[in-house]
Every structure is written in C-alpha cells, then in structure tokens.
mmCIF file of all heavy atoms in Angstrom:
data_model
loop_
_atom_site.group_PDB
_atom_site.id
_atom_site.type_symbol
_atom_site.label_atom_id
_atom_site.label_comp_id
_atom_site.label_asym_id
_atom_site.label_seq_id
_atom_site.Cartn_x
_atom_site.Cartn_y
_atom_site.Cartn_z
ATOM 1 N N LEU A 1 4.097 -45.371 11.753
ATOM 2 C CA LEU A 1 3.492 -46.725 11.795
ATOM 3 C C LEU A 1 4.414 -47.605 12.583
ATOM 4 O O LEU A 1 5.577 -47.816 12.237
ATOM 5 C CB LEU A 1 3.410 -47.326 10.395
ATOM 6 C CG LEU A 1 2.627 -48.639 10.351
ATOM 7 C CD1 LEU A 1 0.983 -48.185 10.544
ATOM 8 C CD2 LEU A 1 2.717 -49.312 8.968
ATOM 9 N N ARG A 2 3.949 -48.174 13.740
ATOM 10 C CA ARG A 2 4.706 -49.136 14.582
ATOM 11 C C ARG A 2 4.292 -50.554 14.162
ATOM 12 O O ARG A 2 3.243 -50.875 14.219
ATOM 13 C CB ARG A 2 4.336 -48.982 16.028
ATOM 14 C CG ARG A 2 4.670 -47.411 16.594
ATOM 15 C CD ARG A 2 4.023 -47.264 17.911
ATOM 16 N NE ARG A 2 2.514 -47.404 17.869
ATOM 17 C CZ ARG A 2 1.761 -47.174 18.867
ATOM 18 N NH1 ARG A 2 2.261 -46.929 19.996
ATOM 19 N NH2 ARG A 2 0.476 -47.322 18.737
ATOM 20 N N THR A 3 5.349 -51.267 13.634
ATOM 21 C CA THR A 3 5.130 -52.567 13.125
ATOM 22 C C THR A 3 5.495 -53.704 13.879
ATOM 23 O O THR A 3 6.625 -53.553 14.610
ATOM 24 C CB THR A 3 5.736 -52.809 11.737
ATOM 25 O OG1 THR A 3 7.143 -52.453 11.720
ATOM 26 C CG2 THR A 3 5.175 -51.655 10.689
ATOM 27 N N ALA A 4 4.857 -54.841 13.906
ATOM 28 C CA ALA A 4 5.291 -56.073 14.506
ATOM 29 C C ALA A 4 5.544 -57.087 13.371
ATOM 30 O O ALA A 4 4.598 -57.180 12.483
ATOM 31 C CB ALA A 4 4.232 -56.561 15.549
ATOM 32 N N HIS A 5 6.612 -57.819 13.408
ATOM 33 C CA HIS A 5 6.871 -58.804 12.404
ATOM 34 C C HIS A 5 6.871 -60.145 12.844
ATOM 35 O O HIS A 5 7.688 -60.592 13.762
ATOM 36 C CB HIS A 5 8.267 -58.382 11.702
ATOM 37 C CG HIS A 5 8.436 -57.038 11.097
ATOM 38 N ND1 HIS A 5 8.331 -56.852 9.737
ATOM 39 C CD2 HIS A 5 8.221 -55.785 11.572
ATOM 40 C CE1 HIS A 5 8.274 -55.552 9.476
ATOM 41 N NE2 HIS A 5 8.276 -54.905 10.550
ATOM 42 N N ILE A 6 6.002 -61.082 12.282
ATOM 43 C CA ILE A 6 6.028 -62.403 12.697
ATOM 44 C C ILE A 6 6.621 -63.245 11.579
ATOM 45 O O ILE A 6 6.070 -63.502 10.594
ATOM 46 C CB ILE A 6 4.458 -62.879 12.997
ATOM 47 C CG1 ILE A 6 3.851 -61.945 13.935
ATOM 48 C CG2 ILE A 6 4.304 -64.252 13.474
ATOM 49 C CD1 ILE A 6 2.464 -62.122 14.187
ATOM 50 N N GLY A 7 7.653 -63.907 12.054
ATOM 51 C CA GLY A 7 8.411 -64.607 10.965
ATOM 52 C C GLY A 7 9.534 -63.664 10.355
ATOM 53 O O GLY A 7 9.141 -62.855 9.592
ATOM 54 N N VAL A 8 10.828 -63.734 10.786
ATOM 55 C CA VAL A 8 11.801 -62.912 10.299
ATOM 56 C C VAL A 8 13.081 -63.562 9.575
ATOM 57 O O VAL A 8 13.994 -62.880 9.497
ATOM 58 C CB VAL A 8 12.251 -61.937 11.465
ATOM 59 C CG1 VAL A 8 11.140 -61.066 11.829
ATOM 60 C CG2 VAL A 8 12.811 -62.685 12.699
ATOM 61 N N GLY A 9 12.838 -64.778 9.223
ATOM 62 C CA GLY A 9 13.933 -65.559 8.595
ATOM 63 C C GLY A 9 13.622 -65.572 7.097
ATOM 64 O O GLY A 9 12.304 -65.645 6.653
ATOM 65 N N ASN A 10 14.556 -65.844 6.182
ATOM 66 C CA ASN A 10 14.344 -65.942 4.813
ATOM 67 C C ASN A 10 13.399 -64.970 4.268
ATOM 68 O O ASN A 10 13.775 -63.767 4.257
ATOM 69 C CB ASN A 10 13.871 -67.447 4.566
ATOM 70 C CG ASN A 10 14.722 -68.603 4.986
ATOM 71 O OD1 ASN A 10 15.898 -68.312 4.697
ATOM 72 N ND2 ASN A 10 14.330 -69.463 5.693
ATOM 73 N N MET A 11 12.218 -65.291 3.724
ATOM 74 C CA MET A 11 11.364 -64.190 3.099
ATOM 75 C C MET A 11 10.984 -63.134 4.247
ATOM 76 O O MET A 11 10.743 -62.056 3.833
ATOM 77 C CB MET A 11 10.156 -64.875 2.508
ATOM 78 C CG MET A 11 9.243 -63.929 1.659
ATOM 79 S SD MET A 11 10.228 -63.473 0.187
ATOM 80 C CE MET A 11 9.591 -61.739 -0.099
ATOM 81 N N GLY A 12 10.860 -63.605 5.375
ATOM 82 C CA GLY A 12 10.435 -62.711 6.384
ATOM 83 C C GLY A 12 11.586 -61.585 6.722
ATOM 84 O O GLY A 12 11.248 -60.453 7.053
ATOM 85 N N ALA A 13 12.755 -61.985 6.482
ATOM 86 C CA ALA A 13 13.855 -61.078 6.532
ATOM 87 C C ALA A 13 13.778 -60.040 5.420
ATOM 88 O O ALA A 13 14.081 -58.783 5.740
ATOM 89 C CB ALA A 13 15.225 -61.754 6.546
ATOM 90 N N ALA A 14 13.469 -60.454 4.269
ATOM 91 C CA ALA A 14 13.312 -59.524 3.036
ATOM 92 C C ALA A 14 12.102 -58.665 3.416
ATOM 93 O O ALA A 14 12.163 -57.475 3.057
ATOM 94 C CB ALA A 14 13.035 -60.379 1.829
ATOM 95 N N ASP A 15 10.892 -59.203 3.897
ATOM 96 C CA ASP A 15 9.879 -58.418 4.270
ATOM 97 C C ASP A 15 10.244 -57.321 5.270
ATOM 98 O O ASP A 15 9.832 -56.216 5.207
ATOM 99 C CB ASP A 15 8.684 -59.237 4.789
ATOM 100 C CG ASP A 15 7.987 -60.197 3.726
ATOM 101 O OD1 ASP A 15 8.316 -59.907 2.530
ATOM 102 O OD2 ASP A 15 7.317 -61.064 3.995
ATOM 103 N N LEU A 16 10.833 -57.665 6.235
ATOM 104 C CA LEU A 16 11.320 -56.772 7.424
ATOM 105 C C LEU A 16 12.233 -55.685 6.782
ATOM 106 O O LEU A 16 11.970 -54.450 7.032
ATOM 107 C CB LEU A 16 12.136 -57.540 8.397
ATOM 108 C CG LEU A 16 12.722 -56.773 9.452
ATOM 109 C CD1 LEU A 16 11.802 -55.928 10.370
ATOM 110 C CD2 LEU A 16 13.541 -57.642 10.494
ATOM 111 N N LYS A 17 13.099 -56.028 5.948
ATOM 112 C CA LYS A 17 13.987 -55.051 5.368
ATOM 113 C C LYS A 17 13.179 -54.013 4.444
ATOM 114 O O LYS A 17 13.423 -52.782 4.633
ATOM 115 C CB LYS A 17 15.030 -55.714 4.505
ATOM 116 C CG LYS A 17 16.025 -54.662 3.887
ATOM 117 C CD LYS A 17 17.035 -55.536 3.002
ATOM 118 C CE LYS A 17 18.068 -54.518 2.227
ATOM 119 N NZ LYS A 17 19.076 -55.232 1.532
ATOM 120 N N ALA A 18 12.305 -54.398 3.718
ATOM 121 C CA ALA A 18 11.498 -53.642 2.832
ATOM 122 C C ALA A 18 10.425 -52.725 3.643
ATOM 123 O O ALA A 18 10.402 -51.494 3.281
ATOM 124 C CB ALA A 18 10.777 -54.434 1.880
ATOM 125 N N ILE A 19 9.834 -53.322 4.566
ATOM 126 C CA ILE A 19 8.894 -52.523 5.333
ATOM 127 C C ILE A 19 9.602 -51.515 6.130
ATOM 128 O O ILE A 19 9.277 -50.253 6.176
ATOM 129 C CB ILE A 19 7.978 -53.419 6.193
ATOM 130 C CG1 ILE A 19 7.024 -54.288 5.517
ATOM 131 C CG2 ILE A 19 7.309 -52.584 7.263
ATOM 132 C CD1 ILE A 19 5.772 -53.467 4.910
ATOM 133 N N SER A 20 10.702 -51.819 6.829
ATOM 134 C CA SER A 20 11.453 -50.872 7.646
ATOM 135 C C SER A 20 12.189 -49.779 6.894
ATOM 136 O O SER A 20 12.660 -48.758 7.385
ATOM 137 C CB SER A 20 12.428 -51.659 8.570
ATOM 138 O OG SER A 20 13.459 -52.392 7.772
ATOM 139 N N SER A 21 12.308 -49.963 5.572
ATOM 140 C CA SER A 21 13.003 -48.941 4.767
ATOM 141 C C SER A 21 12.101 -47.706 4.434
ATOM 142 O O SER A 21 12.630 -46.734 4.177
ATOM 143 C CB SER A 21 13.429 -49.500 3.385
ATOM 144 O OG SER A 21 12.192 -49.828 2.580
ATOM 145 N N HIS A 22 10.891 -47.882 4.886
ATOM 146 C CA HIS A 22 9.933 -46.710 4.747
ATOM 147 C C HIS A 22 10.320 -45.797 5.975
ATOM 148 O O HIS A 22 10.515 -46.168 7.119
ATOM 149 C CB HIS A 22 8.459 -47.179 4.872
ATOM 150 C CG HIS A 22 7.531 -46.118 4.389
ATOM 151 N ND1 HIS A 22 7.278 -44.948 5.172
ATOM 152 C CD2 HIS A 22 6.586 -46.028 3.504
ATOM 153 C CE1 HIS A 22 6.312 -44.269 4.636
ATOM 154 N NE2 HIS A 22 5.887 -44.898 3.530
ATOM 155 N N ASN A 23 10.445 -44.482 5.643
ATOM 156 C CA ASN A 23 11.016 -43.547 6.637
ATOM 157 C C ASN A 23 9.914 -43.147 7.816
ATOM 158 O O ASN A 23 10.329 -42.547 8.700
ATOM 159 C CB ASN A 23 11.487 -42.218 6.024
ATOM 160 C CG ASN A 23 10.389 -41.402 5.272
ATOM 161 O OD1 ASN A 23 9.165 -41.858 5.226
ATOM 162 N ND2 ASN A 23 10.719 -40.358 4.445
ATOM 163 N N LEU A 24 8.734 -43.773 7.565
ATOM 164 C CA LEU A 24 7.725 -43.439 8.655
ATOM 165 C C LEU A 24 7.480 -44.725 9.463
ATOM 166 O O LEU A 24 6.394 -44.784 10.182
ATOM 167 C CB LEU A 24 6.474 -42.882 8.034
ATOM 168 C CG LEU A 24 6.671 -41.429 7.380
ATOM 169 C CD1 LEU A 24 5.346 -41.038 6.795
ATOM 170 C CD2 LEU A 24 7.129 -40.494 8.397
ATOM 171 N N VAL A 25 8.230 -45.625 9.308
ATOM 172 C CA VAL A 25 7.924 -46.978 10.059
ATOM 173 C C VAL A 25 8.959 -47.132 11.225
ATOM 174 O O VAL A 25 10.206 -46.841 11.040
ATOM 175 C CB VAL A 25 8.255 -48.205 9.094
ATOM 176 C CG1 VAL A 25 8.392 -49.516 9.898
ATOM 177 C CG2 VAL A 25 7.087 -48.280 8.140
ATOM 178 N N ASP A 26 8.463 -47.603 12.402
ATOM 179 C CA ASP A 26 9.205 -47.921 13.477
ATOM 180 C C ASP A 26 8.896 -49.313 13.793
ATOM 181 O O ASP A 26 7.786 -49.691 14.170
ATOM 182 C CB ASP A 26 8.812 -47.138 14.795
ATOM 183 C CG ASP A 26 9.050 -45.592 14.491
ATOM 184 O OD1 ASP A 26 10.068 -45.284 13.914
ATOM 185 O OD2 ASP A 26 8.317 -44.785 14.951
ATOM 186 N N VAL A 27 9.964 -50.199 13.745
ATOM 187 C CA VAL A 27 9.847 -51.670 13.981
ATOM 188 C C VAL A 27 9.962 -51.800 15.532
ATOM 189 O O VAL A 27 10.963 -51.548 16.106
ATOM 190 C CB VAL A 27 10.968 -52.516 13.348
ATOM 191 C CG1 VAL A 27 10.867 -53.988 13.764
ATOM 192 C CG2 VAL A 27 10.854 -52.405 11.929
ATOM 193 N N VAL A 28 8.761 -52.325 16.220
ATOM 194 C CA VAL A 28 8.784 -52.338 17.620
ATOM 195 C C VAL A 28 8.683 -53.797 18.224
ATOM 196 O O VAL A 28 8.935 -53.938 19.387
ATOM 197 C CB VAL A 28 7.617 -51.506 18.198
ATOM 198 C CG1 VAL A 28 7.661 -50.027 17.778
ATOM 199 C CG2 VAL A 28 6.276 -52.050 17.707
ATOM 200 N N ALA A 29 8.430 -54.675 17.384
ATOM 201 C CA ALA A 29 8.449 -56.206 17.757
ATOM 202 C C ALA A 29 8.782 -57.035 16.770
ATOM 203 O O ALA A 29 8.444 -56.949 15.531
ATOM 204 C CB ALA A 29 6.944 -56.358 18.294
ATOM 205 N N LEU A 30 9.565 -58.160 17.174
ATOM 206 C CA LEU A 30 10.086 -59.219 16.236
ATOM 207 C C LEU A 30 9.685 -60.411 16.820
ATOM 208 O O LEU A 30 9.838 -60.627 17.962
ATOM 209 C CB LEU A 30 11.485 -59.026 16.069
ATOM 210 C CG LEU A 30 11.986 -57.663 15.539
ATOM 211 C CD1 LEU A 30 13.627 -57.677 15.718
ATOM 212 C CD2 LEU A 30 11.767 -57.509 14.057
ATOM 213 N N CYS A 31 9.219 -61.503 16.041
ATOM 214 C CA CYS A 31 8.799 -62.752 16.488
ATOM 215 C C CYS A 31 9.251 -63.840 15.509
ATOM 216 O O CYS A 31 9.017 -63.766 14.354
ATOM 217 C CB CYS A 31 7.323 -62.815 16.704
ATOM 218 S SG CYS A 31 6.649 -64.390 17.283
ATOM 219 N N ASP A 32 9.903 -64.843 16.090
ATOM 220 C CA ASP A 32 10.272 -65.965 15.289
ATOM 221 C C ASP A 32 10.477 -67.214 16.248
ATOM 222 O O ASP A 32 11.024 -67.102 17.283
ATOM 223 C CB ASP A 32 11.580 -65.766 14.456
ATOM 224 C CG ASP A 32 11.673 -66.599 13.237
ATOM 225 O OD1 ASP A 32 11.911 -67.904 13.445
ATOM 226 O OD2 ASP A 32 11.558 -66.238 12.118
ATOM 227 N N VAL A 33 10.178 -68.344 15.729
ATOM 228 C CA VAL A 33 10.427 -69.665 16.634
ATOM 229 C C VAL A 33 11.816 -70.107 16.505
ATOM 230 O O VAL A 33 12.218 -70.988 17.225
ATOM 231 C CB VAL A 33 9.572 -70.735 16.067
ATOM 232 C CG1 VAL A 33 8.072 -70.347 16.200
ATOM 233 C CG2 VAL A 33 9.719 -71.008 14.625
ATOM 234 N N ASP A 34 12.608 -69.530 15.589
ATOM 235 C CA ASP A 34 14.041 -69.938 15.299
ATOM 236 C C ASP A 34 14.851 -68.732 16.032
ATOM 237 O O ASP A 34 14.873 -67.655 15.504
ATOM 238 C CB ASP A 34 14.330 -70.046 13.841
ATOM 239 C CG ASP A 34 15.812 -70.535 13.621
ATOM 240 O OD1 ASP A 34 16.665 -70.127 14.290
ATOM 241 O OD2 ASP A 34 15.931 -71.446 12.718
ATOM 242 N N ALA A 35 15.562 -69.036 17.090
ATOM 243 C CA ALA A 35 16.333 -68.011 17.714
ATOM 244 C C ALA A 35 17.429 -67.433 16.916
ATOM 245 O O ALA A 35 17.785 -66.233 17.156
ATOM 246 C CB ALA A 35 16.949 -68.560 19.063
ATOM 247 N N ASN A 36 17.966 -68.184 15.985
ATOM 248 C CA ASN A 36 19.059 -67.718 15.105
ATOM 249 C C ASN A 36 18.467 -66.565 14.180
ATOM 250 O O ASN A 36 19.036 -65.563 14.095
ATOM 251 C CB ASN A 36 19.645 -68.769 14.264
ATOM 252 C CG ASN A 36 20.465 -69.685 15.105
ATOM 253 O OD1 ASN A 36 20.918 -69.424 16.147
ATOM 254 N ND2 ASN A 36 20.846 -70.829 14.468
ATOM 255 N N ASN A 37 17.215 -66.819 13.695
ATOM 256 C CA ASN A 37 16.578 -65.796 12.852
ATOM 257 C C ASN A 37 16.282 -64.580 13.680
ATOM 258 O O ASN A 37 16.415 -63.382 13.286
ATOM 259 C CB ASN A 37 15.181 -66.419 12.292
ATOM 260 C CG ASN A 37 15.445 -67.486 11.212
ATOM 261 O OD1 ASN A 37 16.486 -67.573 10.675
ATOM 262 N ND2 ASN A 37 14.438 -68.217 10.988
ATOM 263 N N LEU A 38 15.822 -64.711 14.841
ATOM 264 C CA LEU A 38 15.371 -63.671 15.596
ATOM 265 C C LEU A 38 16.629 -62.835 16.094
ATOM 266 O O LEU A 38 16.524 -61.570 16.012
ATOM 267 C CB LEU A 38 14.717 -64.218 16.986
ATOM 268 C CG LEU A 38 13.930 -63.329 17.766
ATOM 269 C CD1 LEU A 38 12.832 -62.638 16.995
ATOM 270 C CD2 LEU A 38 13.262 -63.973 19.090
ATOM 271 N N ALA A 39 17.781 -63.491 16.319
ATOM 272 C CA ALA A 39 18.879 -62.719 16.709
ATOM 273 C C ALA A 39 19.438 -61.866 15.613
ATOM 274 O O ALA A 39 19.858 -60.772 15.755
ATOM 275 C CB ALA A 39 20.083 -63.677 17.231
ATOM 276 N N ALA A 40 19.448 -62.479 14.370
ATOM 277 C CA ALA A 40 19.865 -61.658 13.291
ATOM 278 C C ALA A 40 18.960 -60.389 13.034
ATOM 279 O O ALA A 40 19.469 -59.369 12.687
ATOM 280 C CB ALA A 40 19.876 -62.531 11.998
ATOM 281 N N ALA A 41 17.660 -60.642 13.081
ATOM 282 C CA ALA A 41 16.766 -59.467 12.948
ATOM 283 C C ALA A 41 16.951 -58.459 14.119
ATOM 284 O O ALA A 41 16.753 -57.304 13.849
ATOM 285 C CB ALA A 41 15.299 -59.987 12.888
ATOM 286 N N HIS A 42 17.036 -58.956 15.219
ATOM 287 C CA HIS A 42 17.321 -57.995 16.413
ATOM 288 C C HIS A 42 18.550 -57.281 16.277
ATOM 289 O O HIS A 42 18.567 -56.097 16.703
ATOM 290 C CB HIS A 42 17.223 -58.844 17.734
ATOM 291 C CG HIS A 42 17.128 -57.922 18.902
ATOM 292 N ND1 HIS A 42 17.933 -57.928 19.875
ATOM 293 C CD2 HIS A 42 16.131 -57.000 19.155
ATOM 294 C CE1 HIS A 42 17.463 -57.043 20.878
ATOM 295 N NE2 HIS A 42 16.391 -56.412 20.394
ATOM 296 N N LYS A 43 19.586 -57.792 15.672
ATOM 297 C CA LYS A 43 20.836 -56.939 15.592
ATOM 298 C C LYS A 43 20.512 -55.840 14.465
ATOM 299 O O LYS A 43 21.226 -54.736 14.718
ATOM 300 C CB LYS A 43 21.818 -57.943 14.773
ATOM 301 C CG LYS A 43 23.193 -57.346 14.619
ATOM 302 C CD LYS A 43 24.138 -58.326 14.081
ATOM 303 C CE LYS A 43 25.565 -57.720 13.908
ATOM 304 N NZ LYS A 43 26.578 -58.661 13.355
ATOM 305 N N GLU A 44 19.645 -55.995 13.612
ATOM 306 C CA GLU A 44 19.328 -54.858 12.799
ATOM 307 C C GLU A 44 18.317 -53.879 13.370
ATOM 308 O O GLU A 44 18.272 -52.709 12.981
ATOM 309 C CB GLU A 44 18.744 -55.297 11.404
ATOM 310 C CG GLU A 44 19.713 -56.229 10.618
ATOM 311 C CD GLU A 44 20.961 -55.466 10.074
ATOM 312 O OE1 GLU A 44 20.710 -54.302 9.820
ATOM 313 O OE2 GLU A 44 22.019 -55.987 10.134
ATOM 314 N N HIS A 45 17.630 -54.266 14.225
ATOM 315 C CA HIS A 45 16.529 -53.469 14.907
ATOM 316 C C HIS A 45 16.628 -53.713 16.566
ATOM 317 O O HIS A 45 15.669 -54.297 17.163
ATOM 318 C CB HIS A 45 15.145 -53.882 14.440
ATOM 319 C CG HIS A 45 14.983 -53.680 12.938
ATOM 320 N ND1 HIS A 45 14.709 -52.436 12.451
ATOM 321 C CD2 HIS A 45 15.064 -54.541 11.864
ATOM 322 C CE1 HIS A 45 14.741 -52.575 11.116
ATOM 323 N NE2 HIS A 45 14.893 -53.860 10.775
ATOM 324 N N PRO A 46 17.724 -53.243 17.124
ATOM 325 C CA PRO A 46 17.907 -53.618 18.501
ATOM 326 C C PRO A 46 16.859 -52.887 19.429
ATOM 327 O O PRO A 46 16.777 -53.290 20.704
ATOM 328 C CB PRO A 46 19.307 -52.896 18.741
ATOM 329 C CG PRO A 46 19.562 -51.856 17.779
ATOM 330 C CD PRO A 46 18.729 -52.490 16.445
#
C-alpha cells in the first residue's frame, strides 16, 4: 500500500508513525502547510 499523508504534525505525526509501522506500507507522499512539520516527517521518510 502506497500512502499519502496530509497533515503530519501533532496527531498527523502519530497517524504517520502508526500507519507506516505496517510492514506492507510504503509512504510515498507527505503534505503539510507547516515546513517544520514537513521537515520532521521527511527526516523519518526521506
């Protein structure tokens, strides 16, 4: 499953962590209006 995540700060970061912990998930896109949130998420999913 290739997933796109819209909103990756705060609760979005928790959602991203939990979804991506599934061994059949590939995180392929990240979206956030806050560049700091986006950078932190991209660090985990470069």
Side-chain angles (χ1 to χ4, degrees):
L1 193 72
R2 299 168 299 179
T3 59
H5 298 255
I6 303 173
V8 294
N10 299 314
M11 193 64 212
D15 291 347
L16 173 60
K17 180 179 179 181
I19 290 284
S20 64
S21 68
H22 195 292
N23 62 2
L24 294 177
V25 164
D26 297 320
V27 176
V28 298
L30 303 167
C31 181
D32 203 291
V33 300
D34 187 315
N36 291 344
N37 292 341
L38 198 57
H42 193 236
K43 184 177 180 180
E44 297 297 319
H45 300 277

